[in-house]
Amino acid sequence: MSYDLIGISVLWLFLYGYLIIASIDFGAGFFAFYARLTKQDPLINRLISRYLSPVWEITNVFFVFFYIGMIGFFPDTAYYYGSALLVPGSIAIVLLAIRGSFYAFENYGSKNNIVYLFLYGASGLLIPASLSVALALSEGGFILKQDQTVSLDYWALFTNPLSWSIVGLAIVSVLFISACFLAFYASRAEDQAALKLMRTYALFWSTPAIIIALTAFIYLGQHNERHYQNMMDLWWLLALSVAFFMIAMWLLYRGRRYGLAFVCIMLQFFCAFFAYGIGQYPYILDPYITIQSSVTSSSMGFALVVVFIGGMCLLIPSLILVFKLFLFDADYVKGEK
């Protein structure tokens, strides 16, 4: 396997890690606001706070690795995506700043302010919506290049059903993944009231998640037939994704093995996410950027592969340690320390 394939595989793993961890974080913010709005905050907000306190600082590490690695491995992405994503990227940065300020001032009473909590919860849905625009752009037809000038065709983007289905899938996936994890976390804390509420949310959001995923897949076939056919050739990965989803739903419905149910959700998204990524090969941005044509020099590519694999070897044990010390510590989860 050439270093460019190794590089894109490692970057895709970092993006998958961000997908899972950030989804839990973003969804938890929305559920915290919704619980306050519906007067259910005594049930789950202490649980959410116990999860977010040790984790929020490391949420964006995966995204930073992916972003830097993408530009390092494939410099052309900075030229095309940097111009096209100026507006949605700026919106995402502002929203991330709002979330960061909420965390920073949480201990000073901001979490008791309904307006600030609304901004915190709303940003949890708007950030994945703005970031998911990059996936829509990668399918082609939205970026225009004239006389070395790159611009985004906003009319084509806003009137294309594929772009809206991808945005909808990003939002619903955040809520579904977060609800499943928080149900598992509540079961670890032996908090039956929070568990009942989060299990209800997880079951509720499972139906929109699968419907919007199928809708996005159909619109993908209409917009980019090449990518659609490549994904159909990977039917076994898609079948595994559906199988893991069904297992998770059965466990949630039966109210048992919440940890295994969340592992199945992770595997569901892993299979679907990599089927999407492999199906897009060799394009990073159709039709302008391919993996082979835009890759950096061989010496630089080899150095980046070594650095990023080393970074992953350091990051994953660090995350395991954080989870072991805080999230999976019985006393901490129950709020006893």
Side-chain angles (χ1 to χ4, degrees):
M1 181 183 291
S2 59
Y3 69 85
D4 54 334
L5 290 179
I6 296 175
I8 196 65
S9 300
V10 172
L11 292 178
W12 208 243
L13 280 172
F14 274 112
L15 190 58
Y16 168 75
Y18 181 72
L19 166 70
I20 298 299
I21 296 179
S23 292
I24 298 172
D25 181 13
F26 294 153
F30 174 81
F31 288 129
F33 168 71
Y34 184 75
R36 172 69 65 82
L37 202 63
T38 56
K39 309 300 183 183
Q40 295 177 312
D41 49 309
L43 298 179
I44 64 171
N45 278 12
R46 285 186 67 250
L47 182 81
I48 291 174
S49 180
R50 286 201 299 271
Y51 167 77
L52 292 178
S53 293
V55 173
W56 73 269
E57 298 96 331
I58 58 177
T59 298
N60 293 318
V61 172
F62 284 94
F63 184 70
V64 171
F65 264 92
F66 173 80
Y67 179 77
I68 295 175
M70 182 62 73
I71 295 176
F73 277 108
F74 310 102
D76 286 351
T77 57
Y79 172 64
Y80 285 93
Y81 281 111
S83 301
L85 291 175
L86 181 61
V87 174
S90 299
I91 292 173
I93 291 173
V94 171
L95 293 171
L96 285 169
I98 291 174
R99 292 184 69 82
S101 62
F102 175 85
Y103 291 130
F105 295 105
E106 182 181 17
N107 294 328
Y108 297 96
S110 64
K111 62 183 176 181
N112 296 319
N113 187 310
I114 188 65
V115 176
Y116 215 97
L117 193 60
F118 165 75
L119 294 175
Y120 173 63
S123 65
L125 301 184
L126 295 177
I127 290 172
S130 59
L131 293 178
S132 66
V133 172
L135 292 179
L137 298 184
S138 69
E139 300 299 334
F142 304 113
I143 292 181
L144 305 176
K145 183 180 179 181
Q146 295 179 343
D147 299 327
Q148 302 302 314
T149 301
V150 175
S151 60
L152 179 59
D153 188 342
Y154 287 97
W155 176 255
L157 181 67
F158 288 132
T159 58
N160 192 295
L162 174 64
S163 59
W164 288 109
S165 63
I166 291 176
V167 169
L169 180 60
I171 294 174
V172 173
S173 297
V174 160
L175 296 174
F176 177 54
I177 293 172
S178 183
C180 290
F181 177 83
L182 291 174
F184 160 60
Y185 199 53
S187 70
R188 289 277 300 178
E190 298 179 2
D191 189 336
Q192 295 303 316
L195 173 59
K196 181 180 179 181
L197 183 61
M198 296 315 304
R199 174 176 169 269
T200 301
Y201 288 160
L203 291 171
F204 174 81
W205 286 108
S206 64
T207 301
I210 200 68
I211 291 175
I212 296 180
L214 291 173
T215 302
F217 192 61
I218 292 171
Y219 284 132
L220 176 63
Q222 298 175 356
H223 183 82
N224 190 335
E225 186 175 357
R226 177 198 60 81
H227 192 180
Y228 175 81
Q229 290 299 330
N230 287 345
M231 289 187 67
M232 290 299 293
D233 293 338
L234 298 167
W235 61 268
W236 56 276
L237 268 178
L238 299 176
L240 279 175
S241 179
V242 173
F244 285 125
F245 173 78
M246 297 302 294
I247 294 171
M249 288 303 96
W250 183 80
L251 292 172
L252 286 171
Y253 181 77
R254 299 283 295 180
R256 53 193 297 187
R257 305 293 297 275
Y258 292 100
L260 179 59
F262 182 69
V263 169
C264 288
I265 295 299
M266 291 178 62
L267 292 173
Q268 170 207 345
F269 279 88
F270 180 87
C271 292
F273 194 63
F274 272 81
Y276 177 88
I278 296 171
Q280 183 71 312
Y281 181 84
Y283 289 99
I284 297 176
L285 174 60
D286 195 348
Y288 299 110
I289 306 176
T290 65
I291 292 175
Q292 293 84 0
S293 66
S294 65
V295 71
T296 188
S297 63
S298 57
S299 57
M300 182 65 173
F302 177 77
L304 286 171
V305 167
V306 173
V307 169
F308 274 83
I309 291 179
M312 181 176 288
C313 292
L314 289 174
L315 181 60
I316 292 178
S318 301
L319 285 174
I320 293 175
L321 180 61
V322 170
F323 275 62
K324 184 177 180 180
L325 291 176
F326 296 100
L327 302 186
F328 299 139
D329 182 270
D331 293 335
Y332 178 83
V333 171
K334 294 177 183 179
E336 296 176 358
K337 71 174 185 180

